[in-house]
Amino acid sequence: MELTTVWFVLIAFFWVGYFVLEGFDFGVGMLLHVIGRNDRERRQVLNTIGPHFDGNEVWLIVAGGATFAAFPEWYATLFSGFYLPLLAILAALIIRLVAIDYRSKRREIAWRRRWDVAIVVGSAVPSLLWGVAFGNLLRGVPIDADGQYVGGLVNLLNPFALLTGLVTLSLFLLHGAVFVALKTDGEVRRRAGRVAGRVGGTAAVLTVVLVLWLNLSQGSTASYVLSAVAAVGLLGALAAGRRGREGWAFVGTATTIGLLFVTAFVVLFPAVMPSSLDPAWSLTTANASSTPYTLTIMTWAAAVATPVVLGYQAWTYWVFRRRLTAGHIPDDALHPEGTRPPAAAR
């Protein structure tokens, strides 16, 4: 296998890992006020992702860095063409990170509500815009003979890309609700399970429409098979969730998200950024790559570092594998309203 193909596969692996892991982070953030009815419950919800969200974002850094080093032409055209959406994603990620860190610095309810809004918005914006970005990659964007993006922001807001954004948004909501149900106990766990059931139907309908659209326009045997397995995973997740088998439900949502992005990369290959003006002007793994010497050095570095990073992250998930209950949240860390049970429970 050529090194350009190896690095296309590796970059796809990093992006898929990012969306599977960060996807539930985003979902938990968007559902903060839906699942958490008081300060104690919201703290319980946030603590489910507390040990993991920093590590999950490392996948984004690695994916972006690998794209820059292995395919500099792809990186340059992507970031110049998608400048505004990617800037919005970066700003949202920074706001979300600061909000999670700062909300517990003071106990005033107004202070915490403002940061809670920032967490919700900071989670929703990337969930939608990452889908819009990948939808445009699949559909093709206006790239000229010099490999330059010649469109504007309006070109990115087409029906297919917006549908892709709604699919990622709904799937991440479902993924997050299932993760909270898996990691908590008591009323928060039951409420997260009910939310997953309500969100799941919408996510399933949107996903089926997108998969049919993609395969009917650009599909291959491999993309049909991958899409079918992804759909089975989603149905399995919904069935497992209804029976209270949160572990299997999480495997199902993770499988669905992972395989949908694998399908996207399969449809793209060997192009990395198709041109909607002329297929001959598309950026591919051959004309957008670095030199063989650079790819060789990167391959040796990845062969050593990737297993270490994967092992460390797996270890953190094992260490923090237990369910969180309301009793794990100390009273002195809460606003006074959070020390009382919600009205529905009294």
Side-chain angles (χ1 to χ4, degrees), residues 36-51:
R37 299 293 173 78
N38 63 12
D39 196 32
R40 181 185 296 278
E41 291 183 349
R42 287 191 283 275
R43 181 66 179 266
Q44 189 181 352
V45 170
L46 278 179
N47 281 7
T48 62
I49 60 172

Side-chain angles (χ1 to χ4, degrees), residues 257-282:
I257 294 170
L259 288 183
L260 283 179
F261 280 99
V262 170
T263 303
F265 281 100
V266 167
V267 170
L268 274 177
F269 185 80
V272 293
M273 208 162 176
S275 171
S276 59
L277 302 179
D278 187 336
W281 296 343
S282 298

Side-chain angles (χ1 to χ4, degrees), residues 187-231:
E187 179 57 26
V188 170
R189 177 187 179 185
R190 290 187 287 274
R191 195 177 299 136
R194 292 194 294 271
V195 170
R198 289 195 290 269
V199 174
T202 303
V205 171
L206 291 172
T207 302
V208 168
V209 174
L210 175 67
V211 165
L212 288 175
W213 191 342
L214 176 63
N215 281 299
L216 289 175
S217 60
Q218 308 176 55
S220 62
T221 302
S223 67
Y224 272 106
V225 172
L226 290 168
S227 301
V229 178

Side-chain angles (χ1 to χ4, degrees), residues 231-319:
V232 170
L234 183 54
L235 294 176
L238 297 178
R242 288 184 179 180
R243 296 178 181 178
R245 304 292 297 273
E246 292 96 350
W248 284 110
F250 185 73
V251 171
T253 54
T255 300
T256 300
I257 294 170
L259 288 183
L260 283 179
F261 280 99
V262 170
T263 303
F265 281 100
V266 167
V267 170
L268 274 177
F269 185 80
V272 293
M273 208 162 176
S275 171
S276 59
L277 302 179
D278 187 336
W281 296 343
S282 298
L283 298 180
T284 67
T285 54
N287 64 22
S289 69
S290 293
T291 64
Y293 177 76
T294 301
L295 294 180
T296 301
I297 297 295
M298 289 176 60
T299 303
W300 281 108
V304 174
T306 303
V308 175
V309 174
L310 291 178
Y312 173 76
Q313 195 154 28
W315 177 76
T316 63
Y317 277 91
W318 174 256
V319 169

Side-chain angles (χ1 to χ4, degrees), residues 72-333:
E73 294 295 331
W74 180 15
Y75 184 91
T77 305
L78 178 69
F79 276 76
S80 61
F82 293 7
Y83 177 76
L84 288 176
L86 293 178
L87 182 63
I89 289 173
L90 179 61
L93 291 176
I94 293 173
I95 291 171
R96 176 173 171 271
L97 180 65
V98 172
I100 292 175
D101 201 27
Y102 271 54
R103 82 173 295 278
S104 297
K105 300 296 184 186
R106 293 171 59 177
R107 297 182 66 191
E108 292 87 344
I109 194 67
W111 170 271
R112 295 193 174 190
R113 282 176 177 166
R114 292 191 192 102
W115 289 120
D116 287 348
V117 171
I119 292 172
V120 173
V121 174
S123 301
V125 170
S127 298
L128 178 67
L129 292 184
W130 278 130
V132 172
F134 267 81
N136 278 293
L137 283 181
L138 291 168
R139 178 177 174 267
V141 290
I143 297 175
D144 64 14
D146 296 324
Q148 301 297 316
Y149 179 82
V150 293
L153 179 62
V154 177
N155 295 90
L156 304 179
L157 303 178
N158 56 80
F160 181 81
L162 292 175
L163 173 62
T164 310
L166 291 177
V167 168
T168 54
L169 181 73
S170 60
L171 283 178
F172 290 167
L173 278 169
L174 173 63
H175 202 32
V178 170
F179 184 74
V180 173
L182 174 66
K183 290 290 295 178
T184 60
D185 212 344
E187 179 57 26
V188 170
R189 177 187 179 185
R190 290 187 287 274
R191 195 177 299 136
R194 292 194 294 271
V195 170
R198 289 195 290 269
V199 174
T202 303
V205 171
L206 291 172
T207 302
V208 168
V209 174
L210 175 67
V211 165
L212 288 175
W213 191 342
L214 176 63
N215 281 299
L216 289 175
S217 60
Q218 308 176 55
S220 62
T221 302
S223 67
Y224 272 106
V225 172
L226 290 168
S227 301
V229 178
V232 170
L234 183 54
L235 294 176
L238 297 178
R242 288 184 179 180
R243 296 178 181 178
R245 304 292 297 273
E246 292 96 350
W248 284 110
F250 185 73
V251 171
T253 54
T255 300
T256 300
I257 294 170
L259 288 183
L260 283 179
F261 280 99
V262 170
T263 303
F265 281 100
V266 167
V267 170
L268 274 177
F269 185 80
V272 293
M273 208 162 176
S275 171
S276 59
L277 302 179
D278 187 336
W281 296 343
S282 298
L283 298 180
T284 67
T285 54
N287 64 22
S289 69
S290 293
T291 64
Y293 177 76
T294 301
L295 294 180
T296 301
I297 297 295
M298 289 176 60
T299 303
W300 281 108
V304 174
T306 303
V308 175
V309 174
L310 291 178
Y312 173 76
Q313 195 154 28
W315 177 76
T316 63
Y317 277 91
W318 174 256
V319 169
F320 296 102
R321 66 188 181 280
R322 298 187 184 280
R323 290 182 184 272
L324 286 165
T325 68
H328 288 126
I329 311 300
D331 286 346
D332 59 4

